[in-house]
Amino acid sequence: MTSAVTTDTSARPGYGQLLRTPGALGFVLPGFAARLPFGMLTISILLLVQHTTGSYGSAGIVAAVTGISMALSAPLMGMFTDRFGQSAVLVPVVLAHAAAVSGLAALALADADVWILALAAVPAGASVPQVGPMVRARWAARLEGSPLLPTAAAFESVTDEFTFVVGPVLATALCTGVHPAAGLVTEATLTLLGGLLFAARRASQPATHAPSTTGGKRTFALSYPGLRVLVFAFLGIGAVFGGMQVSLAAFSNEIGNPGANGLLYGVFAAGNMIAGIAMGAVAWKIGPRRRLVLGYLGLTAAASLLWAVDSVVLLGALGLVVGLFIAPALITGYTMVEQLIPAHARTEAFTWLTGSIAFGQALAVILAGRLTDAHGSSYGFMVPMAATALALAALLTLRAKLAPTAPSRIVNSSAPGAQAPAEATGTGAGTASGTAPAAGAGPAATPSPAARNRVNERGIGHRVPVTVD
């Protein structure tokens, strides 16, 4: 099992330094191989079911059931992973997923009714392996307390988005150029091989944790208010992914060029990837809450213009801008988990965020599919606009709950009357470091509010949070 390592904090955090972390490449490369198929799943289902039924609405229902099933099962998979270890969970999951997806493809080719395909989509979605959260949990365990952790979050977002650049393009090429079911068959095969390869890298796995309890009750990751806010914000991001997938596919058919779908979605995902690279290369001076809000403001503004565009060039350019604003919100949200959630529940927390994206994507696929069938692709693009606006309103209202839970400390307690309380993690009253008072020292007098104000005005003895937003 892995443990946190000491990094050189004097060096500027960057991707080179990140990848030189001992043991990093041993799980990064297999992790990429295992998560690449994830970018193929939804678009492969959409294209196959639309081909066999002739309806984007029906295809959207089947794809949405897959996403909802994944969203509901992901936190449970995360809890089991925190408790029993990644390999113990991943091996049976990838075997089940390969079988379930193969069955779904066979039923679609047999012209099964939509409700039968929807039932078959349940195990296909519920068995999606949570490789991305598992990789993030390995980074969090290895880099706990390191300034490289935001860089790792950016790197993971870039990796995710690279899969969403390659995945849809590959799936579209296979489904339109080889066979309508080729995308799903390839997804199942790659998931099985990549997942087994990643599971074999046991040395870098985080330590397992017994269930945490508070007052005799099990403590779940979702019991932390900050995670609930992030879940709502990530629903909006998922709606952008789902709405774009359906609406771009419909738009490409409307202009008589179905192959343009993969290119347009690839440009959208490339914007996210470019912004993710930039996020990891910048030493940010503003806090994560502000970065999250600013990124979401830009995302909402850009998504609100999609419905009005009817040109391939303009839609590609605007899709690029939408992608550029997703990365700041996505990366910052994942980074904040390390501050908001204790180690025993981090994999579960990451799966809640991943599941939230999948759930938002699923709902958007249903709504955008129905709107597209009835009115055309421009109406489908209204789904990302509405979803991001609602999520932004919730984020602005509840952003105070995203304050990190790190302990606070006293800076320079030498001023008269300024007694430093013990650290939240200390062992008793005394100085800011939690050490005992000097021998023979009497009890410290509690300063009056006026005295405390005078001390604070001089900048001595004031309370400073360890993590400042």
Side-chain angles (χ1 to χ4, degrees), residues 183-208:
L184 274 185
V185 172
T186 303
E187 188 275 342
T189 303
L190 292 178
T191 298
L192 178 61
L193 297 178
L196 293 177
L197 182 63
F198 180 74
R201 308 298 298 184
R202 297 174 181 269
S204 56
Q205 289 185 97
T208 57

Side-chain angles (χ1 to χ4, degrees), residues 140-181:
R142 189 155 288 266
L143 298 175
E144 188 166 5
S146 166
L148 282 173
L149 197 58
T151 305
F155 179 81
E156 287 306 305
S157 180
V158 171
T159 303
D160 282 339
E161 288 317 306
F162 186 75
T163 68
F164 278 101
V165 172
V166 176
V169 175
L170 177 59
T172 301
L174 290 169
C175 291
T176 59
V178 178
H179 189 276

